Amino acid sequence: MAWDWQMFCEDTLDRTVREGCFGTDGDITYLDWMLSAWGWTVSVSLLALVLALAAGVVIGTIRTLPDSKWAVRFGNAWVEVFRNIPLLVQIFLWYHVVPAIFPAMKSVSGFVLVVLALGFFTSARIAEQVRSGIQALPRGQRYAGMAVGFTTWQTYRHVLLPNAFRIIIPPLTSETMNIFKNSSVAFAVSVTELTMFAMQAQEETGRGIEIYLAVTGLYIVSAFAINRIMTFIEKRVRVPGLTAPSAAGGH
Amino acid sequence: MKKHLLAIAITALAATSTMAQTGDTLAKIKSSGSITLGVRESSGLAYTLGNGKYVGFHTEMAENIVQDLQKELGLSKLNVKYQPVTSQNRIPLVVNGTVDLECGSTTNDLNRQKEVDFANTTYVEQVRIAVKADSDINDVKDLDGKTVATTTGTTSVQLLRQNKRAAGIKFKDINGKDHADSFLLLETGRADAFVMDASILAGNISKSKNPKDFKIVGEPLSTEPIACMLRKNDPAFMKAVNDSIARQVQDGTLEKLWDKWFLQPIPPTNTSVGLPLSDATREAWNNPNNKPKEAYNE
C-alpha cells in the first residue's frame, strides 16, 4: 500500500500537480475543494445548531409549563414527530415532499432545507434535554419563585432555566458534536460538504483511503473544537455547589 | 454511511498490508473449490432481485465465465459466492482478495489500471443527456443557464465540470445521492437535464410512470469501456476469463444475453429497457481489447 498524498495538490480538471497546492485563476485543486467542503459542513452545522438551540429551548420549556395543556401537547407532538422520523427521511421530506405540497418552497435551496431539517431534528433532542433539566430541579425551586411573587415568566427566567441549563450542558455538548456528524446527510440534497467531497473525489482520483483519512481528520477537528468550546462554557458558568443535582444533595 | 466507508477503507488497508497477494487466482479457485464474484446491487448491467439473487447482463456473463473456468480446471463442483460491491469498495475488495472477479459497471481507465487489471471490454457505455420530452435542450451547448443533475460518486460529475470549461457555458449542477434520486430531480423539475450513462438513463426512463415524457438527446459526452475487473498481474486467470468472453461472443451467447437483458421485459417490473446493441459495443466484441477510457476519448 503506497500512500499518495500529492493528489490533494492536483487540479480537479486536468489532474496536473499544482505548485503550492492551491489553484489559481478560478482553477481549483482537490485541497481547495476539500477546504470549501469543510466550510459547507461547518456552515450547515453551526446554522442548524443555532436553530436547534432556539427551537429546542422554547419547545423544551413549554413542555414543562403548568396549566397550559395545549402548549404541552404541542411540545410533545413536536418532539415525537421530529425524533421518531429518521434524519435522512426528514431531509427527503423537506426536499421532495414539502415543495410538492407548497410550490413556493421549490425555489428554496438545498442548503436552507438541510439547515431546517437538521435544526428541527436536533431541536427535538435538545427539547427533551431542556425538559429533563427543568424537571430534575427540586419542586421547591418553582414554589420559591411563586412564594416571592414571581410570574411564571419570571420564575423560568430567574430561577428554573439558569439552573436547568447548567445541568444539561454535558448532554448538550454531545448534541452539538452530533450535529457536525449528522451534517453528513446534507450530501443527499446536493450540498457539497465533506461527505460528498469524499465520495466524489475518491471516485475521480482512486485514492479513497487518503481522502477518507483526511475527511475523518476534519470531522474530528470540527467536533472536538465544539467540544472544547462547550467545556469552556461549562467551566465559566459553573456555580460552586450547584453544578449537578446529585452534588447539591437532595432537598 | 461515512463511518461505514471508513471501516471498509481501514479494513482494506489492514488487509493489503498484512496479506501478500497470492497472484494465482486459478490455483486459489482450484484448491478452495470456490470463486467469489463481485456483483452490483443497482446498476443497469448488474442488479439484485433481493434474497441474495443477483441478475443482469454482466452478472449472467460472469456466471458463464465461471462455468468455463470450472471446465478448464476440471472441477466436478465449483461453489459460487456472491459479494455485493459498491463504487466505493469494489477496488479494495478485488485488491485484497475478497473478490476474485468483479463484473458490474466498472469503467476501465488508466487510474484504476494502476491497482487492478481489466478483462476485455464487453460493454461500451456512452454518457448522454436525458431531458423531458417537451424540453428544448438538444445538445451540450443548450445546457447554458440550466440546472443539470447527475449522481454523486460517478465520473459524470467530473465530465460535466470539464465540459463546462471546454464549451465555455454556465449551468448549475446538482447531485443526487443515487441514480433514482437524480432521476427524481429531473422528474420533479428541480433539474432540466440528467447527464449519465445511457443504459442507466434508459433503465430509469423505462421504469418511470410515463416513459414517453422523457427523451435522450445529444452526442455522447464521453465513451467509456466497461469490463470485468480482476487482480493485477495474474496472466493465467486473465487469459481464462478472456477465452470465455471470446467463446461467448463467437457462439452468440453474449448477443442472446443482450437481447434478454436490454430488449426483453426484465424483472422485477417486467418492463423492457429498450436499449439496442450499440455499434461501439459490437466493435469491442469483434475486436477483443482492454483499452482504457482514455484511448476512446482522444
Side-chain angles (χ1 to χ4, degrees):
Chain A
M1 178 74 213
W3 296 103
D4 176 16
W5 294 100
Q6 209 173 29
M7 50 109 332
F8 281 107
C9 300
E10 284 174 9
D11 185 270
T12 55
L13 284 176
D14 54 19
R15 300 210 51 205
T16 50
V17 174
R18 287 305 166 103
E19 198 83 23
C21 241
F22 289 102
T24 44
D25 306 329
D27 289 342
I28 60 164
T29 62
Y30 284 100
L31 184 66
D32 288 321
W33 187 3
M34 182 166 76
L35 293 178
S36 112
W38 190 24
W40 283 104
T41 290
V42 171
S43 322
V44 166
S45 311
L46 290 184
L47 287 174
L49 180 60
V50 170
L51 179 64
L53 282 174
V57 168
V58 171
I59 298 291
T61 306
I62 65 173
R63 291 185 73 190
T64 63
L65 286 179
D67 316 319
S68 316
K69 220 163 42 171
W70 284 104
V72 173
R73 279 181 192 158
F74 171 77
N76 291 346
W78 177 282
V79 168
E80 294 312 330
V81 164
F82 286 110
R83 195 167 59 160
N84 288 333
I85 304 175
L87 181 53
L88 192 57
V89 175
Q90 289 192 32
I91 300 255
F92 280 116
L93 288 176
W94 283 100
Y95 197 60
H96 289 300
V97 181
V98 172
I101 303 169
F102 307 102
M105 292 290 285
K106 233 177 202 161
S107 53
V108 179
S109 74
F111 176 76
V112 175
L113 294 178
V114 162
V115 169
L116 288 179
L118 190 57
F120 286 155
F121 174 78
T122 312
S123 81
R125 303 171 58 93
I126 290 180
E128 263 310 79
Q129 289 164 5
V130 170
R131 179 184 69 88
S132 59
I134 293 172
Q135 289 178 345
L137 295 172
R139 243 177 313 178
Q141 297 214 358
R142 188 188 291 273
Y143 296 155
M146 289 157 79
V148 295
F150 279 176
T151 61
T152 304
W153 161 254
Q154 285 171 323
T155 310
Y156 273 90
R157 166 67 186 82
H158 297 291
V159 182
L160 298 179
L161 288 179
N163 278 324
F165 281 141
R166 285 180 172 82
I167 296 173
I168 64 166
I169 284 182
L172 215 50
T173 306
S174 305
E175 217 50 67
T176 53
M177 292 168 76
N178 271 342
I179 273 208
F180 270 92
K181 291 177 279 176
N182 286 341
S183 72
S184 63
V185 296
F187 91 91
V189 289
S190 193
V191 176
T192 46
E193 47 70 71
L194 279 174
T195 302
M196 176 183 272
F197 161 78
M199 292 174 80
Q200 187 55 39
Q202 73 96 21
E203 174 73 20
E204 292 177 14
T205 62
R207 309 307 310 185
I209 292 169
E210 288 87 342
I211 288 171
Y212 276 109
L213 280 176
V215 164
T216 305
L218 289 181
Y219 272 113
I220 291 175
V221 167
S222 322
F224 196 65
I226 203 88
N227 169 298
R228 291 292 91 193
I229 293 171
M230 291 298 284
T231 311
F232 174 75
I233 295 174
E234 188 181 345
K235 287 216 177 91
R236 278 300 295 270
V237 300
R238 175 177 293 155
V239 177
L242 260 183
T243 42
S246 58
H251 283 256
Chain B
M1 180 127 199
K2 169 176 62 77
K3 285 186 212 132
H4 201 92
L5 292 169
L6 179 72
I8 290 168
I10 289 177
T11 317
L13 180 66
T16 43
S17 51
T18 53
M19 196 174 68
Q21 273 84 67
T22 49
D24 190 352
T25 310
L26 285 177
K28 180 186 161 195
I29 294 170
K30 194 163 187 178
S31 65
S32 65
S34 74
I35 180 168
T36 307
L37 288 181
V39 288
R40 297 303 296 265
E41 292 184 307
S42 65
S43 133
L45 295 166
Y47 60 99
T48 180
L49 296 176
N51 294 328
K53 207 166 155 31
Y54 297 93
V55 295
F57 175 70
H58 260 168
T59 307
E60 202 167 329
M61 185 186 83
E63 285 165 345
N64 291 343
I65 293 175
V66 170
Q67 281 173 13
D68 286 353
L69 288 176
Q70 183 180 1
K71 256 181 250 159
E72 190 183 321
L73 292 170
L75 294 169
S76 56
K77 191 170 170 295
L78 182 53
N79 194 9
V80 185
K81 289 183 201 144
Y82 295 90
Q83 170 68 49
V85 299
T86 66
S87 304
Q88 282 83 31
N89 68 15
R90 57 192 173 188
I91 291 178
L93 288 180
V94 168
V95 170
N96 76 12
T98 309
V99 166
D100 296 315
L101 180 67
E102 193 265 358
C103 296
S105 49
T106 312
T107 300
N108 176 351
D109 66 22
L110 287 178
N111 210 357
R112 291 178 179 146
Q113 282 190 1
K114 285 182 212 152
E115 295 181 69
V116 291
D117 274 342
F118 287 91
N120 287 338
T121 300
T122 41
Y123 179 86
V124 178
E125 187 65 89
Q126 293 173 322
V127 176
R128 298 187 66 188
I129 307 169
V131 293
K132 290 240 172 103
D134 55 6
S135 164
D136 54 0
I137 297 172
N138 290 311
D139 214 338
V140 182
K141 60 181 191 320
D142 297 333
L143 294 177
D144 202 7
K146 303 278 202 250
T147 302
V148 182
T150 186
T151 308
T152 304
T154 64
T155 44
S156 298
V157 178
Q158 193 178 19
L159 190 64
L160 273 180
R161 231 164 40 219
Q162 287 160 348
N163 268 284
K164 220 184 211 174
R165 172 56 62 92
I169 50 177
K170 283 199 164 56
F171 52 80
K172 185 169 175 277
D173 41 347
I174 53 174
N175 301 326
K177 78 171 172 48
D178 50 38
H179 300 313
D181 195 40
S182 303
F183 190 73
L184 190 61
L185 292 172
L186 174 65
E187 205 173 8
T188 55
R190 269 187 186 269
D192 302 303
F194 176 17
V195 171
M196 189 42 62
D197 302 355
S199 68
I200 291 166
L201 294 180
N204 272 297
I205 291 175
S206 77
K207 274 180 262 170
S208 69
K209 271 174 276 172
N210 256 326
K212 285 195 180 66
D213 288 353
F214 304 94
K215 60 181 179 182
I216 296 178
V217 297
E219 290 289 305
L221 275 75
S222 159
T223 304
E224 304 194 350
I226 312 281
C228 292
M229 183 163 65
L230 38 98
R231 257 182 301 288
K232 212 165 171 51
N233 300 327
D234 191 350
F237 185 51
M238 171 100 109
K239 182 175 179 302
V241 171
N242 281 338
D243 284 350
S244 171
I245 292 171
R247 194 273 298 166
Q248 294 185 51
V249 170
Q250 267 152 27
D251 65 11
T253 313
L254 217 47
E255 188 146 4
K256 266 185 221 134
L257 282 185
W258 187 285
D259 185 66
K260 175 175 173 188
W261 291 105
F262 294 114
L263 298 170
Q264 302 299 322
I266 51 170
T269 52
N270 279 321
T271 47
S272 146
V273 177
L275 191 73
L277 180 57
S278 70
D279 292 341
T281 301
R282 191 182 291 280
E283 172 81 18
W285 288 1
N286 292 336
N287 306 295
N289 69 82
N290 63 350
K291 282 188 290 194
K293 176 178 88 176
E294 285 75 5
Y296 282 77
N297 298 297
E298 271 165 356

